[in-house]
Amino acid sequence: MAMKKLRTVAIAACLAFVATGASAALINADFETGDLSGWSVTPTATGTTLVQTVSNAETVLGTISNAGHFNVGRQSGTYDGYQGINLSQTFMASAGVHTFSVDVAVQTQRYGNAHAALFRLYAGATLLDTIDFGSIGGSTAERGTLSGSVSLSAGLIDFRIEILRRYATSTNTPQQYVDNASVVAPVPVPASLALMLVGFGAIGALKRRKHV
């Protein structure tokens, strides 16, 4: 009975180890450097941003920290729908299921607006999640988290956040914030651990055979 209990505990510990993940190597994921190093900012076809910096912001309620800070929208005089920027960086993915997430927020000062921002989170070309904050009042902050999981092949992949608005941007339009970008990747099973699991399986099969 003691051996059976020990084997069960050992197998559970091994499986728990296999199930854990590790953060992939995103650069400046929390904007801790105080700038946008590691990130690329690319306007959409007729999009723009009046602000492209890092500022202190309450992207997560109750926590003020560095965050990517933008003020996106259509270029003045254009009328072709949702426009803004793509904020992205490339990292090396391992094979398996990866979980992506990022915290986002919008903030107005004195004036409200008919459209605060639309955020989309992508893994490469795969859309994982969307938040559209819609209209927003003056002196208002709204927050959310984008997240999703996807199975990836080993290789380079883009972590990409699309930030869009339906209208032209100005100093009076809402500000957008991004923080706490994260990718959790699968941990490869070491060969020694795989052999342990096979060994436990063989022991279990042998014991079952003896009881038959």
Side-chain angles (χ1 to χ4, degrees), residues 97-180:
V97 175
H98 292 62
T99 299
F100 289 59
S101 67
V102 65
D103 294 319
V104 298
V106 290
Q107 172 77 55
T108 58
Q109 299 301 321
R110 179 178 177 183
Y111 301 101
N113 196 270
H115 191 220
L118 166 68
F119 292 85
R120 293 175 178 149
L121 175 63
Y122 290 85
T126 302
L127 176 62
L128 299 178
D129 200 5
T130 300
I131 295 177
D132 191 339
F133 285 100
S135 61
I136 188 171
S139 303
T140 300
E142 296 185 14
R143 304 168 180 85
T145 299
L146 295 161
S147 63
S149 297
V150 62
S151 182
L152 299 174
S153 300
L156 294 174
I157 189 76
D158 287 334
F159 182 107
R160 180 163 62 95
I161 308 148
E162 202 170 37
I163 312 173
L164 309 171
R165 287 184 59 252
R166 288 188 288 141
Y167 304 109
T169 190
S170 75
T171 55
N172 293 324
T173 55
Q175 311 294 299
Q176 298 84 34
Y177 298 92
V178 174
D179 199 6
N180 305 317

Side-chain angles (χ1 to χ4, degrees), residues 30-31 54-60 63-68 177 179-180:
D30 299 325
F31 303 93
V54 171
S55 302
N56 282 336
E58 197 174 4
T59 309
V60 175
T63 301
I64 297 175
S65 62
N66 283 349
Y177 298 92
D179 199 6
N180 305 317

